[in-house]
Amino acid sequence: MSDQFYHYPKNTFFLDSKVNLTFEEVLALDDDGFRQWVIDFRKEIVDIWDEKGVPPVKGYSREEIIDQFNALESHFVHKM
């Protein structure tokens, strides 16, 4: 079975996207530029989700999931 049935992979496709602007770059946009950026941003997110099967959520790699499960044994659950 594929790992994708259990979790979503980390979405790194957006990192190199032309719509991945910094906060300062977004602030510098005029109203029309901001409107267009929002439209392009939404399209990019939907395209990545549709074409790559990766939604806009924080995902974990297989190794990160294993590390998190391994770390559980050191938690003191009796205090929960």
Side-chain angles (χ1 to χ4, degrees), residues 18-19 21 25-41:
K18 66 181 174 67
V19 297
L21 302 182
E25 290 170 325
V26 172
L27 285 178
L29 297 172
D30 61 14
D31 288 348
D32 290 334
F34 181 75
R35 263 188 221 92
Q36 189 59 53
W37 174 76
V38 170
I39 291 166
D40 294 342
F41 184 92

Side-chain angles (χ1 to χ4, degrees), residues 68-69 71-80:
Q68 289 176 1
F69 270 104
L72 285 175
E73 72 181 1
S74 65
H75 291 284
F76 296 105
V77 294
H78 68 279
K79 293 182 180 181
M80 297 176 98

Side-chain angles (χ1 to χ4, degrees), residues 35-53:
R35 263 188 221 92
Q36 189 59 53
W37 174 76
V38 170
I39 291 166
D40 294 342
F41 184 92
R42 182 188 181 283
K43 181 180 181 331
E44 184 78 8
I45 295 298
V46 171
D47 288 348
I48 291 171
W49 195 343
D50 288 347
E51 295 169 13
K52 311 259 191 237

Side-chain angles (χ1 to χ4, degrees), residues 50-68:
D50 288 347
E51 295 169 13
K52 311 259 191 237
V54 181
V57 296
K58 182 177 183 342
Y60 296 96
S61 69
R62 187 177 200 291
E63 292 76 26
E64 289 170 320
I65 292 171
I66 291 169
D67 290 343
Q68 289 176 1

